[in-house]
Amino acid sequence: MSRAPSKPSYHHGDLRHSIITAGLARIRAEGVQALSLRQLADELGVSTPALYHHFRSKHALLTSLGEAAMAEFVVVMQAAITSDASAESFALGYVGFARREAALYDLIFGSLLWRDPNAESFRTAARAHVRIITQHVQSMQDRGELPASVSALRVVQVAWATLHGLCRMYNDGLAFTAETIEDIAKTAMALIHQALDKSSP
């Protein structure tokens, strides 16, 4: 008589890591709205209460998934900045992530987590990323590549708003091809740079 397959055995930290990994994979495949703790439990071969031991609710899980997705985004952006240190490289890294990882982009830059009063840990992680980018702009000012008279934070905010609007239009199917958004992103960074040059005394 054959035995039923046994459920996987997880250590405490292993299960949490496996939940995050499986959750990100499901979001990538089906989108944020398709995420289900019961389905994740079935996929991992554990009981639903085992998942609730680590995440008290779906929103708590989404917050942790948002932090993990933001960490992936930060790695991409830091690589883009390190490889070239130009605004164009930054822009291409940004739109490239949004295009390749549309579902994760929706999670980390959509209203679901930004308007959730219980997702402060996610927003703290996201703001830390903005500070990293702002420090990069400040270093460009220190090297004389940008005028020191302009707020580095405002430069980051303008660039972010421009790229976010472009990515939202593309991911929502409003307009543009992948090649077009890359060209628009490069053009936007060039125009911002020209405006900054003109503002320099």
Side-chain angles (χ1 to χ4, degrees), residues 119-132:
E120 185 56 36
S121 60
F122 162 78
R123 290 190 290 274
T124 297
R127 293 185 187 110
H129 167 65
V130 175
R131 284 196 294 273
I132 291 172

Side-chain angles (χ1 to χ4, degrees), residues 63-86:
T63 298
S64 293
L65 290 173
E67 292 174 23
M70 179 60 75
E72 291 191 22
F73 176 74
V74 169
V75 169
V76 170
M77 297 311 301
Q78 286 181 324
I81 291 172
T82 302
S83 66
D84 192 318
S86 69

Side-chain angles (χ1 to χ4, degrees), residues 82-165:
T82 302
S83 66
D84 192 318
S86 69
E88 180 176 303
S89 179
F90 170 84
L92 292 178
Y94 189 102
V95 299
F97 181 91
R99 181 169 55 84
R100 293 188 307 271
E101 300 284 8
L104 295 189
Y105 185 85
D106 283 345
L107 176 63
I108 61 178
F109 290 123
S111 62
L112 183 66
L113 293 178
W114 286 97
R115 291 183 177 178
D116 182 352
N118 298 313
E120 185 56 36
S121 60
F122 162 78
R123 290 190 290 274
T124 297
R127 293 185 187 110
H129 167 65
V130 175
R131 284 196 294 273
I132 291 172
I133 303 300
T134 302
Q135 289 167 359
H136 172 68
V137 174
Q138 289 172 336
S139 69
M140 293 175 70
Q141 290 177 320
D142 294 340
R143 296 192 299 268
E145 298 172 16
L146 294 174
S149 58
V150 179
S151 164
L153 178 59
R154 287 291 180 263
V155 173
V156 172
Q157 289 169 334
V158 168
W160 184 12
T162 301
L163 295 174
H164 178 68

Side-chain angles (χ1 to χ4, degrees), residues 164-185:
H164 178 68
L166 176 60
C167 292
R168 280 264 48 94
M169 291 180 70
Y170 175 78
N171 286 349
D172 289 345
L174 269 67
F176 312 133
T177 63
E179 294 76 15
T180 302
I181 64 168
E182 289 187 352
D183 189 55
I184 294 172

Side-chain angles (χ1 to χ4, degrees), residues 7-118:
K7 291 184 176 182
S9 176
Y10 293 96
H11 294 294
H12 182 81
D14 292 341
L15 179 54
R16 181 182 178 86
H17 175 75
S18 296
I19 295 168
I20 295 294
T21 301
L24 289 176
R26 186 165 290 276
I27 289 175
R28 280 185 167 103
E30 302 179 10
V32 175
Q33 300 306 320
L35 188 68
S36 162
L37 267 67
R38 179 175 296 179
Q39 289 179 342
L40 283 180
D42 289 344
E43 180 179 333
L44 294 169
V46 299
S47 66
T48 303
L51 266 66
Y52 280 107
H53 179 72
H54 293 276
F55 303 100
R56 65 184 182 276
S57 66
K58 181 178 177 179
H59 281 293
L61 173 58
L62 284 170
T63 298
S64 293
L65 290 173
E67 292 174 23
M70 179 60 75
E72 291 191 22
F73 176 74
V74 169
V75 169
V76 170
M77 297 311 301
Q78 286 181 324
I81 291 172
T82 302
S83 66
D84 192 318
S86 69
E88 180 176 303
S89 179
F90 170 84
L92 292 178
Y94 189 102
V95 299
F97 181 91
R99 181 169 55 84
R100 293 188 307 271
E101 300 284 8
L104 295 189
Y105 185 85
D106 283 345
L107 176 63
I108 61 178
F109 290 123
S111 62
L112 183 66
L113 293 178
W114 286 97
R115 291 183 177 178
D116 182 352
N118 298 313

